[in-house]
Tab-separated table of all heavy atoms in Angstrom:
chain	number	residue	atom	x	y	z
A	1	TYR	N	4.268	3.299	0.216
A	1	TYR	CA	3.935	3.261	-1.231
A	1	TYR	C	4.996	4.004	-2.126
A	1	TYR	O	5.396	3.488	-3.131
A	1	TYR	CB	2.550	3.818	-1.602
A	1	TYR	CG	2.106	3.423	-3.004
A	1	TYR	CD1	1.326	2.300	-3.175
A	1	TYR	CD2	2.548	4.152	-4.086
A	1	TYR	CE1	0.991	1.904	-4.594
A	1	TYR	CE2	2.122	3.775	-5.371
A	1	TYR	CZ	1.329	2.653	-5.579
A	1	TYR	OH	0.997	2.328	-6.851
A	2	SER	N	5.455	5.229	-1.574
A	2	SER	CA	6.423	6.030	-2.319
A	2	SER	C	7.722	5.392	-2.520
A	2	SER	O	8.381	5.515	-3.572
A	2	SER	CB	6.650	7.280	-1.486
A	2	SER	OG	7.193	7.020	-0.251
A	3	GLU	N	8.184	4.417	-1.722
A	3	GLU	CA	9.439	3.727	-1.837
A	3	GLU	C	9.329	2.695	-2.984
A	3	GLU	O	10.464	2.409	-3.590
A	3	GLU	CB	9.829	3.016	-0.596
A	3	GLU	CG	10.234	4.117	0.539
A	3	GLU	CD	10.734	3.386	1.803
A	3	GLU	OE1	11.456	2.438	1.679
A	3	GLU	OE2	10.362	3.877	2.913
A	4	PHE	N	8.112	2.212	-3.332
A	4	PHE	CA	7.998	1.158	-4.313
A	4	PHE	C	7.381	1.689	-5.665
A	4	PHE	O	7.277	0.950	-6.542
A	4	PHE	CB	7.256	0.027	-3.789
A	4	PHE	CG	7.903	-0.824	-2.688
A	4	PHE	CD1	7.063	-1.557	-1.868
A	4	PHE	CD2	9.262	-0.797	-2.517
A	4	PHE	CE1	7.681	-2.289	-0.796
A	4	PHE	CE2	9.835	-1.492	-1.517
A	4	PHE	CZ	9.057	-2.239	-0.694
A	5	ALA	N	6.899	2.913	-5.586
A	5	ALA	CA	6.079	3.457	-6.671
A	5	ALA	C	6.731	3.378	-8.029
A	5	ALA	O	6.079	2.805	-8.997
A	5	ALA	CB	5.795	4.952	-6.399
A	6	GLU	N	8.042	3.690	-8.191
A	6	GLU	CA	8.616	3.565	-9.529
A	6	GLU	C	8.732	2.186	-10.072
A	6	GLU	O	8.638	1.916	-11.248
A	6	GLU	CB	10.060	4.236	-9.554
A	6	GLU	CG	10.977	3.588	-8.684
A	6	GLU	CD	12.371	4.245	-8.737
A	6	GLU	OE1	13.068	4.186	-9.879
A	6	GLU	OE2	12.773	4.986	-7.778
A	7	TYR	N	8.929	1.218	-9.066
A	7	TYR	CA	9.084	-0.248	-9.508
A	7	TYR	C	7.697	-0.813	-9.737
A	7	TYR	O	7.531	-1.643	-10.673
A	7	TYR	CB	9.754	-0.967	-8.344
A	7	TYR	CG	11.096	-0.366	-8.003
A	7	TYR	CD1	11.246	0.418	-6.870
A	7	TYR	CD2	12.200	-0.595	-8.871
A	7	TYR	CE1	12.486	0.989	-6.487
A	7	TYR	CE2	13.425	-0.028	-8.602
A	7	TYR	CZ	13.604	0.733	-7.365
A	7	TYR	OH	14.783	1.357	-7.062
A	8	ILE	N	6.684	-0.403	-9.016
A	8	ILE	CA	5.323	-0.799	-9.408
A	8	ILE	C	4.917	-0.345	-10.770
A	8	ILE	O	4.342	-1.026	-11.583
A	8	ILE	CB	4.338	-0.272	-8.382
A	8	ILE	CG1	4.598	-0.888	-7.058
A	8	ILE	CG2	2.905	-0.478	-8.708
A	8	ILE	CD1	3.857	-0.444	-5.809
A	9	LYS	N	5.221	0.974	-11.076
A	9	LYS	CA	4.933	1.638	-12.308
A	9	LYS	C	5.660	0.914	-13.434
A	9	LYS	O	5.062	0.676	-14.503
A	9	LYS	CB	5.239	3.074	-12.378
A	9	LYS	CG	4.799	3.832	-13.516
A	9	LYS	CD	5.064	5.231	-13.374
A	9	LYS	CE	4.653	6.053	-14.643
A	9	LYS	NZ	4.876	7.501	-14.525
A	10	ALA	N	6.855	0.466	-13.220
A	10	ALA	CA	7.603	-0.199	-14.214
A	10	ALA	C	7.278	-1.665	-14.428
A	10	ALA	O	7.853	-2.370	-15.260
A	10	ALA	CB	9.166	0.011	-13.872
A	11	GLY	N	6.478	-2.187	-13.587
A	11	GLY	CA	6.019	-3.562	-13.663
A	11	GLY	C	6.958	-4.480	-12.990
A	11	GLY	O	7.015	-5.754	-13.244
A	12	LYS	N	7.995	-3.967	-12.156
A	12	LYS	CA	8.946	-4.813	-11.592
A	12	LYS	C	8.488	-5.336	-10.231
A	12	LYS	O	9.025	-6.296	-9.667
A	12	LYS	CB	10.274	-4.116	-11.360
A	12	LYS	CG	10.949	-3.723	-12.704
A	12	LYS	CD	12.234	-2.892	-12.391
A	12	LYS	CE	12.876	-2.596	-13.783
A	12	LYS	NZ	14.099	-1.802	-13.545
A	13	MET	N	7.373	-4.688	-9.703
A	13	MET	CA	6.783	-5.191	-8.448
A	13	MET	C	5.267	-5.233	-8.662
A	13	MET	O	4.725	-4.382	-9.310
A	13	MET	CB	7.079	-4.304	-7.302
A	13	MET	CG	8.552	-4.256	-6.858
A	13	MET	SD	8.754	-3.125	-5.389
A	13	MET	CE	10.485	-3.297	-5.130
A	14	LYS	N	4.593	-6.215	-8.063
A	14	LYS	CA	3.115	-6.225	-8.170
A	14	LYS	C	2.481	-5.940	-6.828
A	14	LYS	O	2.775	-6.670	-5.819
A	14	LYS	CB	2.735	-7.616	-8.559
A	14	LYS	CG	1.198	-7.800	-8.739
A	14	LYS	CD	0.786	-9.160	-9.225
A	14	LYS	CE	-0.772	-9.287	-9.091
A	14	LYS	NZ	-1.484	-8.342	-9.878
A	15	PRO	N	1.795	-4.882	-6.656
A	15	PRO	CA	1.174	-4.549	-5.396
A	15	PRO	C	-0.090	-5.362	-5.098
A	15	PRO	O	-0.881	-5.647	-6.043
A	15	PRO	CB	0.757	-3.085	-5.554
A	15	PRO	CG	0.428	-2.953	-7.048
A	15	PRO	CD	1.452	-3.844	-7.771
A	16	ILE	N	-0.219	-5.915	-3.899
A	16	ILE	CA	-1.316	-6.859	-3.686
A	16	ILE	C	-2.216	-6.375	-2.456
A	16	ILE	O	-3.259	-6.904	-2.337
A	16	ILE	CB	-0.815	-8.283	-3.320
A	16	ILE	CG1	0.156	-8.274	-2.178
A	16	ILE	CG2	-0.186	-8.989	-4.610
A	16	ILE	CD1	0.652	-9.702	-1.817
A	17	ALA	N	-1.696	-5.436	-1.711
A	17	ALA	CA	-2.608	-4.933	-0.624
A	17	ALA	C	-1.973	-3.691	0.064
A	17	ALA	O	-0.615	-3.544	0.097
A	17	ALA	CB	-2.733	-6.026	0.415
A	18	VAL	N	-2.842	-2.857	0.613
A	18	VAL	CA	-2.346	-1.665	1.348
A	18	VAL	C	-2.969	-1.780	2.767
A	18	VAL	O	-4.060	-2.358	3.036
A	18	VAL	CB	-2.731	-0.319	0.677
A	18	VAL	CG1	-1.993	-0.178	-0.552
A	18	VAL	CG2	-4.194	-0.205	0.484
A	19	THR	N	-2.337	-1.295	3.687
A	19	THR	CA	-2.751	-1.232	5.103
A	19	THR	C	-3.659	-0.058	5.442
A	19	THR	O	-3.863	0.181	6.672
A	19	THR	CB	-1.570	-1.269	6.142
A	19	THR	OG1	-0.768	0.003	5.897
A	19	THR	CG2	-0.608	-2.478	5.819
A	20	ALA	N	-4.095	0.670	4.480
A	20	ALA	CA	-4.920	1.803	4.680
A	20	ALA	C	-6.463	1.433	4.823
A	20	ALA	O	-6.825	0.351	4.546
A	20	ALA	CB	-4.757	2.811	3.455
A	21	PRO	N	-7.144	2.477	5.285
A	21	PRO	CA	-8.665	2.293	5.345
A	21	PRO	C	-9.312	2.269	4.003
A	21	PRO	O	-10.467	1.815	3.900
A	21	PRO	CB	-9.075	3.404	6.278
A	21	PRO	CG	-8.102	4.500	6.144
A	21	PRO	CD	-6.797	3.765	5.879
A	22	LYS	N	-8.679	2.827	3.060
A	22	LYS	CA	-9.276	2.792	1.622
A	22	LYS	C	-8.103	2.696	0.685
A	22	LYS	O	-6.965	2.735	0.965
A	22	LYS	CB	-10.046	4.132	1.450
A	22	LYS	CG	-9.108	5.460	1.444
A	22	LYS	CD	-10.042	6.617	1.300
A	22	LYS	CE	-9.118	7.961	1.292
A	22	LYS	NZ	-9.900	9.116	1.023
A	23	ARG	N	-8.533	2.264	-0.524
A	23	ARG	CA	-7.599	1.988	-1.606
A	23	ARG	C	-6.598	3.135	-1.876
A	23	ARG	O	-6.961	4.332	-1.819
A	23	ARG	CB	-8.228	1.655	-2.918
A	23	ARG	CG	-8.933	0.275	-2.884
A	23	ARG	CD	-9.346	-0.075	-4.343
A	23	ARG	NE	-9.917	-1.517	-4.280
A	23	ARG	CZ	-9.820	-2.250	-5.404
A	23	ARG	NH1	-9.429	-1.803	-6.473
A	23	ARG	NH2	-10.389	-3.563	-5.328
A	24	LEU	N	-5.300	2.787	-2.130
A	24	LEU	CA	-4.319	3.769	-2.531
A	24	LEU	C	-3.871	3.358	-3.919
A	24	LEU	O	-3.445	2.193	-4.200
A	24	LEU	CB	-3.070	3.798	-1.564
A	24	LEU	CG	-3.336	4.167	-0.186
A	24	LEU	CD1	-2.053	4.147	0.686
A	24	LEU	CD2	-3.920	5.729	-0.189
A	25	ASN	N	-3.994	4.258	-4.824
A	25	ASN	CA	-3.640	4.053	-6.267
A	25	ASN	C	-4.255	2.771	-6.766
A	25	ASN	O	-3.753	1.959	-7.537
A	25	ASN	CB	-2.092	3.941	-6.403
A	25	ASN	CG	-1.407	5.237	-6.049
A	25	ASN	OD1	-1.577	6.250	-6.733
A	25	ASN	ND2	-0.694	5.279	-4.938
A	26	ASN	N	-5.458	2.653	-6.329
A	26	ASN	CA	-6.342	1.501	-6.718
A	26	ASN	C	-5.929	0.175	-6.264
A	26	ASN	O	-6.275	-0.979	-6.748
A	26	ASN	CB	-6.563	1.452	-8.229
A	26	ASN	CG	-7.962	0.700	-8.575
A	26	ASN	OD1	-8.891	0.823	-7.809
A	26	ASN	ND2	-7.952	0.066	-9.637
A	27	VAL	N	-4.905	0.148	-5.216
A	27	VAL	CA	-4.458	-1.176	-4.648
A	27	VAL	C	-5.461	-1.581	-3.588
A	27	VAL	O	-5.743	-0.821	-2.652
A	27	VAL	CB	-3.075	-1.015	-4.039
A	27	VAL	CG1	-2.612	-2.403	-3.459
A	27	VAL	CG2	-2.069	-0.641	-5.231
A	28	PRO	N	-6.014	-2.779	-3.629
A	28	PRO	CA	-6.987	-3.142	-2.686
A	28	PRO	C	-6.499	-3.105	-1.207
A	28	PRO	O	-5.319	-3.458	-0.966
A	28	PRO	CB	-7.399	-4.542	-3.082
A	28	PRO	CG	-6.257	-5.094	-3.952
A	28	PRO	CD	-5.715	-3.814	-4.550
A	29	THR	N	-7.358	-2.827	-0.248
A	29	THR	CA	-7.011	-2.847	1.181
A	29	THR	C	-6.965	-4.328	1.655
A	29	THR	O	-7.589	-5.172	1.078
A	29	THR	CB	-8.041	-1.993	1.990
A	29	THR	OG1	-9.234	-2.635	2.030
A	29	THR	CG2	-8.136	-0.619	1.401
A	30	LEU	N	-6.357	-4.483	2.771
A	30	LEU	CA	-6.353	-5.767	3.492
A	30	LEU	C	-7.792	-6.111	3.920
A	30	LEU	O	-8.306	-7.256	3.726
A	30	LEU	CB	-5.436	-5.796	4.628
A	30	LEU	CG	-3.945	-5.820	4.316
A	30	LEU	CD1	-3.140	-5.528	5.478
A	30	LEU	CD2	-3.584	-7.341	3.816
A	31	LYS	N	-8.513	-5.049	4.414
A	31	LYS	CA	-9.884	-5.241	4.950
A	31	LYS	C	-10.728	-5.732	3.822
A	31	LYS	O	-11.582	-6.664	4.103
A	31	LYS	CB	-10.319	-3.965	5.621
A	31	LYS	CG	-9.682	-3.744	6.954
A	31	LYS	CD	-10.494	-2.561	7.612
A	31	LYS	CE	-10.031	-2.418	9.113
A	31	LYS	NZ	-10.726	-1.345	9.797
A	32	GLU	N	-10.723	-5.230	2.670
A	32	GLU	CA	-11.622	-5.658	1.644
A	32	GLU	C	-11.318	-6.994	1.076
A	32	GLU	O	-12.064	-7.596	0.380
A	32	GLU	CB	-11.639	-4.608	0.469
A	32	GLU	CG	-10.378	-4.583	-0.367
A	32	GLU	CD	-10.604	-3.571	-1.567
A	32	GLU	OE1	-10.239	-2.424	-1.369
A	32	GLU	OE2	-10.942	-4.041	-2.690
A	33	GLN	N	-10.064	-7.549	1.446
A	33	GLN	CA	-9.688	-8.897	1.145
A	33	GLN	C	-9.977	-9.874	2.258
A	33	GLN	O	-9.455	-10.985	2.279
A	33	GLN	CB	-8.265	-8.909	0.724
A	33	GLN	CG	-8.042	-8.084	-0.537
A	33	GLN	CD	-6.529	-8.163	-0.950
A	33	GLN	OE1	-6.093	-9.187	-1.440
A	33	GLN	NE2	-5.739	-7.072	-0.779
A	34	GLY	N	-10.803	-9.396	3.264
A	34	GLY	CA	-11.151	-10.251	4.361
A	34	GLY	C	-10.176	-10.256	5.485
A	34	GLY	O	-10.270	-11.128	6.364
A	35	ILE	N	-9.059	-9.427	5.616
A	35	ILE	CA	-8.136	-9.443	6.583
A	35	ILE	C	-8.298	-8.222	7.450
A	35	ILE	O	-7.888	-7.068	6.840
A	35	ILE	CB	-6.689	-9.574	6.006
A	35	ILE	CG1	-6.574	-10.886	5.078
A	35	ILE	CG2	-5.621	-9.748	7.122
A	35	ILE	CD1	-5.358	-10.973	4.302
A	36	ASP	N	-8.748	-8.261	8.574
A	36	ASP	CA	-9.084	-7.041	9.381
A	36	ASP	C	-7.862	-6.444	9.940
A	36	ASP	O	-7.629	-6.480	11.295
A	36	ASP	CB	-10.105	-7.395	10.421
A	36	ASP	CG	-10.656	-6.172	11.150
A	36	ASP	OD1	-10.536	-5.020	10.583
A	36	ASP	OD2	-11.240	-6.360	12.224
A	37	VAL	N	-6.948	-5.818	9.147
A	37	VAL	CA	-5.801	-5.140	9.468
A	37	VAL	C	-5.718	-3.854	8.870
A	37	VAL	O	-5.769	-3.592	7.758
A	37	VAL	CB	-4.558	-5.964	9.156
A	37	VAL	CG1	-3.229	-5.163	9.475
A	37	VAL	CG2	-4.544	-7.295	9.933
A	38	GLU	N	-5.428	-2.851	9.769
A	38	GLU	CA	-5.160	-1.330	9.258
A	38	GLU	C	-4.135	-0.770	10.171
A	38	GLU	O	-4.239	-0.790	11.369
A	38	GLU	CB	-6.423	-0.566	9.379
A	38	GLU	CG	-6.354	0.867	8.972
A	38	GLU	CD	-7.654	1.637	9.163
A	38	GLU	OE1	-8.660	1.150	8.838
A	38	GLU	OE2	-7.482	2.809	9.613
A	39	ILE	N	-3.015	-0.332	9.605
A	39	ILE	CA	-1.963	0.280	10.440
A	39	ILE	C	-1.248	1.376	9.613
A	39	ILE	O	-1.005	1.193	8.326
A	39	ILE	CB	-0.958	-0.856	10.895
A	39	ILE	CG1	0.149	-0.162	11.794
A	39	ILE	CG2	-0.395	-1.514	9.789
A	39	ILE	CD1	1.016	-1.178	12.477
A	40	GLY	N	-0.945	2.459	10.250
A	40	GLY	CA	-0.268	3.556	9.511
A	40	GLY	C	1.172	3.822	10.002
A	40	GLY	O	1.432	3.456	11.134
A	41	ASN	N	1.948	4.426	9.205
A	41	ASN	CA	3.352	4.772	9.487
A	41	ASN	C	3.454	6.252	9.619
A	41	ASN	O	3.227	6.895	8.433
A	41	ASN	CB	4.281	4.122	8.517
A	41	ASN	CG	5.720	4.338	8.811
A	41	ASN	OD1	6.058	4.714	9.991
A	41	ASN	ND2	6.614	4.112	7.878
A	42	TRP	N	3.817	6.841	10.700
A	42	TRP	CA	4.054	8.298	10.794
A	42	TRP	C	5.418	8.677	10.935
A	42	TRP	O	6.257	7.788	11.422
A	42	TRP	CB	3.211	8.958	11.903
A	42	TRP	CG	3.588	8.356	13.186
A	42	TRP	CD1	2.976	7.201	13.845
A	42	TRP	CD2	4.569	8.776	14.173
A	42	TRP	NE1	3.546	7.031	15.029
A	42	TRP	CE2	4.499	7.969	15.242
A	42	TRP	CE3	5.448	9.872	14.156
A	42	TRP	CZ2	5.455	8.167	16.353
A	42	TRP	CZ3	6.426	10.111	15.159
A	42	TRP	CH2	6.297	9.184	16.282
A	43	ARG	N	5.845	9.828	10.528
A	43	ARG	CA	7.301	10.335	10.627
A	43	ARG	C	7.320	11.674	11.219
A	43	ARG	O	6.351	12.459	10.924
A	43	ARG	CB	7.983	10.260	9.245
A	43	ARG	CG	7.989	8.810	8.636
A	43	ARG	CD	8.838	8.784	7.404
A	43	ARG	NE	8.882	7.454	6.855
A	43	ARG	CZ	8.185	7.128	5.748
A	43	ARG	NH1	7.438	7.934	5.126
A	43	ARG	NH2	8.263	5.867	5.341
A	44	GLY	N	8.340	11.949	11.929
A	44	GLY	CA	8.446	13.244	12.594
A	44	GLY	C	9.979	13.680	12.726
A	44	GLY	O	10.887	12.952	12.253
A	45	VAL	N	10.074	14.727	13.536
A	45	VAL	CA	11.537	15.117	13.864
A	45	VAL	C	11.680	15.514	15.310
A	45	VAL	O	10.668	16.039	15.839
A	45	VAL	CB	11.980	16.409	13.043
A	45	VAL	CG1	12.202	15.998	11.595
A	45	VAL	CG2	10.934	17.536	13.055
């Protein structure tokens, strides 16, 4: 979400779903739209 946040806020991109277990910034999850998918991205060093 962070990579697109400024463009979403500016109206240049329209968010339609998140892969999270619950809404992020009020963007609906895939699951609540009837698509049973949840996947996270982790980063380390």
Side-chain angles (χ1 to χ4, degrees):
Y1 194 95
S2 61
E3 292 185 39
F4 294 157
E6 64 178 289
Y7 304 102
I8 292 172
K9 186 176 181 180
K12 295 180 179 180
M13 294 181 183
K14 178 178 174 57
I16 55 174
V18 291
T19 62
K22 60 182 180 180
R23 289 191 174 206
L24 294 177
N25 297 293
N26 207 33
V27 180
T29 67
L30 285 165
K31 284 190 172 183
E32 72 179 86
Q33 299 181 71
I35 305 169
D36 189 18
V37 171
E38 179 186 318
I39 182 172
N41 184 15
W42 59 270
R43 299 187 181 109
V45 286

